[in-house]
Amino acid sequence: MSYRLNSTRSAAVFCGSRHGNDPAFSKATAEFGARLAEAGIRLVYGGGRIGLMGVLADAVLAGGGQVFGVIPDFLRRLEVEHGGVTEMVVTETMHARKQLMCDEADAFVTLPGGLGTYDETIEIITWRQLRLHDKPIFILDIAGSARPLIAAIDAAIEMGFASADARNLFEVLDSVEAVTGRLRALSAEGASANPEADAIRLT
Ligand code: AMP
């Protein structure tokens, strides 16, 4: 799979506003946050401090990384807005939140989560299918967390409602190391392939 990327400086991450019932979900999320900080990749996320969203933001911040939160006004209290992120943007609507997260990201990562996480992941996959963006999408499968989503996509293909190529719009990986390895590789590729674009982004 090849991507046209300038450089992976920011990753938008979709994950649960709950912890889920397997401790492996929080463990992997915290580990992923630490690795993002270590790699110098800015986290773009939904701005909450509850559930896996909070675990992730806290881990990036604890590692000295940058966190960009995007939260719609009506969710500020509901999702208990994170007070310690590097930057927080409050949007009027969910749609504006999704658009800004997409614009601010060089790549997307889905961690375990619920309906909101499924929705965000499917939407970003469909935007890629419609060629509204060409940014890589990684789905991290922890203890089978990605199975329902992949099964739904496979079912659409099987029923003739999606092309088999839909499977090439995203990658499913089963470890934090695999995802961070892909992000780091894309970052290095982009940096050497397009130094001018990199220089612009870094200023
Ligand atoms: P969840 O996976 O349901 O815990 O939700 C994770 C994130 O998705 C949270 O930031 C929610 O605000 C967001 N979310 C929840 N429902 C929706 C929805 N219908 N559309 C888009 N995002 C949503």
PDB file of all heavy atoms in Angstrom, residues 10-26:
ATOM      1  N   SER A  10       1.226  14.551  12.799  1.00  0.00           N
ATOM      2  CA  SER A  10       0.066  14.511  13.688  1.00  0.00           C
ATOM      3  C   SER A  10      -0.786  13.296  13.369  1.00  0.00           C
ATOM      4  O   SER A  10      -1.041  13.013  12.200  1.00  0.00           O
ATOM      5  CB  SER A  10      -0.807  15.759  13.475  1.00  0.00           C
ATOM      6  OG  SER A  10      -0.107  16.923  13.811  1.00  0.00           O
ATOM      7  N   ALA A  11      -1.237  12.622  14.406  1.00  0.00           N
ATOM      8  CA  ALA A  11      -2.136  11.490  14.213  1.00  0.00           C
ATOM      9  C   ALA A  11      -3.448  11.773  14.931  1.00  0.00           C
ATOM     10  O   ALA A  11      -3.444  12.117  16.116  1.00  0.00           O
ATOM     11  CB  ALA A  11      -1.503  10.209  14.745  1.00  0.00           C
ATOM     12  N   ALA A  12      -4.559  11.671  14.199  1.00  0.00           N
ATOM     13  CA  ALA A  12      -5.868  11.792  14.844  1.00  0.00           C
ATOM     14  C   ALA A  12      -6.250  10.408  15.336  1.00  0.00           C
ATOM     15  O   ALA A  12      -6.168   9.433  14.591  1.00  0.00           O
ATOM     16  CB  ALA A  12      -6.914  12.311  13.862  1.00  0.00           C
ATOM     17  N   VAL A  13      -6.618  10.326  16.599  1.00  0.00           N
ATOM     18  CA  VAL A  13      -6.917   9.024  17.192  1.00  0.00           C
ATOM     19  C   VAL A  13      -8.368   8.991  17.659  1.00  0.00           C
ATOM     20  O   VAL A  13      -8.827   9.892  18.356  1.00  0.00           O
ATOM     21  CB  VAL A  13      -5.966   8.726  18.377  1.00  0.00           C
ATOM     22  CG1 VAL A  13      -6.279   7.359  18.975  1.00  0.00           C
ATOM     23  CG2 VAL A  13      -4.504   8.784  17.919  1.00  0.00           C
ATOM     24  N   PHE A  14      -9.076   7.948  17.239  1.00  0.00           N
ATOM     25  CA  PHE A  14     -10.457   7.718  17.668  1.00  0.00           C
ATOM     26  C   PHE A  14     -10.450   6.582  18.685  1.00  0.00           C
ATOM     27  O   PHE A  14      -9.861   5.527  18.429  1.00  0.00           O
ATOM     28  CB  PHE A  14     -11.333   7.316  16.473  1.00  0.00           C
ATOM     29  CG  PHE A  14     -11.248   8.252  15.303  1.00  0.00           C
ATOM     30  CD1 PHE A  14     -10.919   7.787  14.037  1.00  0.00           C
ATOM     31  CD2 PHE A  14     -11.497   9.617  15.468  1.00  0.00           C
ATOM     32  CE1 PHE A  14     -10.840   8.653  12.940  1.00  0.00           C
ATOM     33  CE2 PHE A  14     -11.422  10.495  14.384  1.00  0.00           C
ATOM     34  CZ  PHE A  14     -11.096  10.004  13.124  1.00  0.00           C
ATOM     35  N   CYS A  15     -11.093   6.795  19.822  1.00  0.00           N
ATOM     36  CA  CYS A  15     -11.159   5.728  20.819  1.00  0.00           C
ATOM     37  C   CYS A  15     -12.316   5.976  21.774  1.00  0.00           C
ATOM     38  O   CYS A  15     -12.977   7.018  21.708  1.00  0.00           O
ATOM     39  CB  CYS A  15      -9.841   5.607  21.578  1.00  0.00           C
ATOM     40  SG  CYS A  15      -9.374   7.059  22.523  1.00  0.00           S
ATOM     41  N   GLY A  16     -12.566   5.025  22.650  1.00  0.00           N
ATOM     42  CA  GLY A  16     -13.744   5.055  23.503  1.00  0.00           C
ATOM     43  C   GLY A  16     -13.760   6.159  24.553  1.00  0.00           C
ATOM     44  O   GLY A  16     -12.728   6.535  25.102  1.00  0.00           O
ATOM     45  N   SER A  17     -14.969   6.639  24.832  1.00  0.00           N
ATOM     46  CA  SER A  17     -15.138   7.565  25.954  1.00  0.00           C
ATOM     47  C   SER A  17     -15.432   6.765  27.232  1.00  0.00           C
ATOM     48  O   SER A  17     -15.735   7.319  28.272  1.00  0.00           O
ATOM     49  CB  SER A  17     -16.259   8.571  25.660  1.00  0.00           C
ATOM     50  OG  SER A  17     -17.447   7.881  25.332  1.00  0.00           O
ATOM     51  N   ARG A  18     -15.367   5.434  27.113  1.00  0.00           N
ATOM     52  CA  ARG A  18     -15.401   4.531  28.266  1.00  0.00           C
ATOM     53  C   ARG A  18     -14.125   3.699  28.229  1.00  0.00           C
ATOM     54  O   ARG A  18     -13.453   3.665  27.199  1.00  0.00           O
ATOM     55  CB  ARG A  18     -16.601   3.594  28.191  1.00  0.00           C
ATOM     56  CG  ARG A  18     -17.932   4.314  28.142  1.00  0.00           C
ATOM     57  CD  ARG A  18     -19.055   3.310  28.052  1.00  0.00           C
ATOM     58  NE  ARG A  18     -20.330   3.981  27.929  1.00  0.00           N
ATOM     59  CZ  ARG A  18     -21.469   3.496  28.394  1.00  0.00           C
ATOM     60  NH1 ARG A  18     -21.497   2.327  28.999  1.00  0.00           N
ATOM     61  NH2 ARG A  18     -22.586   4.161  28.240  1.00  0.00           N
ATOM     62  N   HIS A  19     -13.866   2.977  29.350  1.00  0.00           N
ATOM     63  CA  HIS A  19     -12.647   2.168  29.392  1.00  0.00           C
ATOM     64  C   HIS A  19     -12.823   0.787  28.755  1.00  0.00           C
ATOM     65  O   HIS A  19     -11.844   0.130  28.429  1.00  0.00           O
ATOM     66  CB  HIS A  19     -12.165   1.985  30.830  1.00  0.00           C
ATOM     67  CG  HIS A  19     -11.630   3.239  31.450  1.00  0.00           C
ATOM     68  ND1 HIS A  19     -12.426   4.108  32.151  1.00  0.00           N
ATOM     69  CD2 HIS A  19     -10.392   3.784  31.434  1.00  0.00           C
ATOM     70  CE1 HIS A  19     -11.705   5.142  32.551  1.00  0.00           C
ATOM     71  NE2 HIS A  19     -10.458   4.977  32.124  1.00  0.00           N
ATOM     72  N   GLY A  20     -14.091   0.349  28.606  1.00  0.00           N
ATOM     73  CA  GLY A  20     -14.311  -1.017  28.153  1.00  0.00           C
ATOM     74  C   GLY A  20     -14.038  -1.981  29.287  1.00  0.00           C
ATOM     75  O   GLY A  20     -13.520  -1.581  30.337  1.00  0.00           O
ATOM     76  N   ASN A  21     -14.389  -3.253  29.090  1.00  0.00           N
ATOM     77  CA  ASN A  21     -14.303  -4.182  30.232  1.00  0.00           C
ATOM     78  C   ASN A  21     -13.070  -5.085  30.239  1.00  0.00           C
ATOM     79  O   ASN A  21     -12.988  -6.026  31.024  1.00  0.00           O
ATOM     80  CB  ASN A  21     -15.589  -5.024  30.334  1.00  0.00           C
ATOM     81  CG  ASN A  21     -15.827  -5.803  29.050  1.00  0.00           C
ATOM     82  OD1 ASN A  21     -14.922  -5.932  28.229  1.00  0.00           O
ATOM     83  ND2 ASN A  21     -17.040  -6.294  28.876  1.00  0.00           N
ATOM     84  N   ASP A  22     -12.107  -4.797  29.372  1.00  0.00           N
ATOM     85  CA  ASP A  22     -10.867  -5.574  29.379  1.00  0.00           C
ATOM     86  C   ASP A  22      -9.713  -4.614  29.700  1.00  0.00           C
ATOM     87  O   ASP A  22      -9.515  -3.629  28.969  1.00  0.00           O
ATOM     88  CB  ASP A  22     -10.669  -6.214  27.995  1.00  0.00           C
ATOM     89  CG  ASP A  22      -9.504  -7.192  27.964  1.00  0.00           C
ATOM     90  OD1 ASP A  22      -8.548  -7.014  28.756  1.00  0.00           O
ATOM     91  OD2 ASP A  22      -9.544  -8.125  27.138  1.00  0.00           O
ATOM     92  N   PRO A  23      -8.967  -4.875  30.772  1.00  0.00           N
ATOM     93  CA  PRO A  23      -7.855  -3.974  31.132  1.00  0.00           C
ATOM     94  C   PRO A  23      -6.831  -3.809  30.005  1.00  0.00           C
ATOM     95  O   PRO A  23      -6.074  -2.824  29.982  1.00  0.00           O
ATOM     96  CB  PRO A  23      -7.216  -4.645  32.353  1.00  0.00           C
ATOM     97  CG  PRO A  23      -8.179  -5.702  32.804  1.00  0.00           C
ATOM     98  CD  PRO A  23      -9.121  -6.003  31.686  1.00  0.00           C
ATOM     99  N   ALA A  24      -6.832  -4.761  29.074  1.00  0.00           N
ATOM    100  CA  ALA A  24      -5.885  -4.679  27.943  1.00  0.00           C
ATOM    101  C   ALA A  24      -6.145  -3.425  27.108  1.00  0.00           C
ATOM    102  O   ALA A  24      -5.220  -2.880  26.492  1.00  0.00           O
ATOM    103  CB  ALA A  24      -6.012  -5.916  27.065  1.00  0.00           C
ATOM    104  N   PHE A  25      -7.395  -2.933  27.092  1.00  0.00           N
ATOM    105  CA  PHE A  25      -7.726  -1.755  26.282  1.00  0.00           C
ATOM    106  C   PHE A  25      -6.993  -0.513  26.825  1.00  0.00           C
ATOM    107  O   PHE A  25      -6.387   0.246  26.080  1.00  0.00           O
ATOM    108  CB  PHE A  25      -9.239  -1.496  26.269  1.00  0.00           C
ATOM    109  CG  PHE A  25     -10.064  -2.623  25.706  1.00  0.00           C
ATOM    110  CD1 PHE A  25     -11.340  -2.877  26.203  1.00  0.00           C
ATOM    111  CD2 PHE A  25      -9.583  -3.420  24.672  1.00  0.00           C
ATOM    112  CE1 PHE A  25     -12.115  -3.916  25.681  1.00  0.00           C
ATOM    113  CE2 PHE A  25     -10.348  -4.463  24.142  1.00  0.00           C
ATOM    114  CZ  PHE A  25     -11.622  -4.707  24.652  1.00  0.00           C
ATOM    115  N   SER A  26      -7.083  -0.325  28.152  1.00  0.00           N
ATOM    116  CA  SER A  26      -6.416   0.846  28.754  1.00  0.00           C
ATOM    117  C   SER A  26      -4.904   0.714  28.657  1.00  0.00           C
ATOM    118  O   SER A  26      -4.186   1.693  28.418  1.00  0.00           O
ATOM    119  CB  SER A  26      -6.805   0.996  30.228  1.00  0.00           C
ATOM    120  OG  SER A  26      -8.152   1.359  30.333  1.00  0.00           O
TER     121      SER A  26
END
